[in-house]
Amino acid sequence: DAGVTQSPTHLIKTRGQHVTLRCSPISGHKSVSWYQQVLGQGPQFIFQYYEKEERGRGNFPDRFSARQFPNYSSELNVNALLLGDSALYLCASLWGREGGYTFGSGTRLTVV
Amino acid sequence: SQQGEEDPQALSIQEGENATMNCSYKTSINNLQWYRQNSGRGLVHLILIRSNEREKHSGRLRVTLDTSKKSSSLLITASRAADTASYFCATDSGGGADGLTFGKGTHLIIQP
């Protein structure tokens, strides 16, 4: 079975632009979470979606938005990019009742 | 914001020695999880311990949890060069709305 897949792996954008990151959870998993990891820090929670509905949101500005599609894949959108948005963006799939997560390899976003 | 801190921030030991990392957190939790990250890529789930558990083992890993002190430790026995990575603890407060809250991580280097 494929794990959590994210695309693209790397991305370079200019300040003020918009970016869309994509994630496919493990087949059959209905929950997707997004995290931002700035260099040297631990990941920070952005969103959690379950069955296409937003179930949780971290402390991020409204420039960040997400959605989940009927096939449970998800997109993370960031508008009006700032230099500080440069980070590794991680998508995670929640498994079972244990609450453990499987993470994708991430999208490294560089804003210049 | 970060939930807590891992200690130490960096640890370098000889292959074959045991490595111990500590994690402190601030709020009540449903469970605590440990993840490994190689070279700034995706996180790999290592072990999950519930709030009503005090110790858990998985292969060469041993995790303890002291909810009265809001702390956890991860012990890796008989370390190998392949264990070189960053290790993060993450707390789950339950419900999914807040996602996982990660610490800043411990960077472990195993010297051959």
Side-chain angles (χ1 to χ4, degrees), chain B residues 27-39:
Chain B
T27 63
S28 61
I29 62 172
N30 185 47
N31 64 65
L32 184 144
Q33 305 173 31
W34 285 89
Y35 288 84
R36 184 185 73 225
Q37 185 176 40
N38 292 84
S39 303

Side-chain angles (χ1 to χ4, degrees), chain A residues 7-27:
Chain A
S7 63
T9 55
H10 294 84
L11 202 52
I12 299 175
K13 290 285 190 177
T14 303
R15 277 178 298 174
Q17 285 189 317
H18 162 271
V19 69
T20 298
L21 310 181
R22 295 179 174 83
C23 170
S24 293
I26 293 173
S27 178

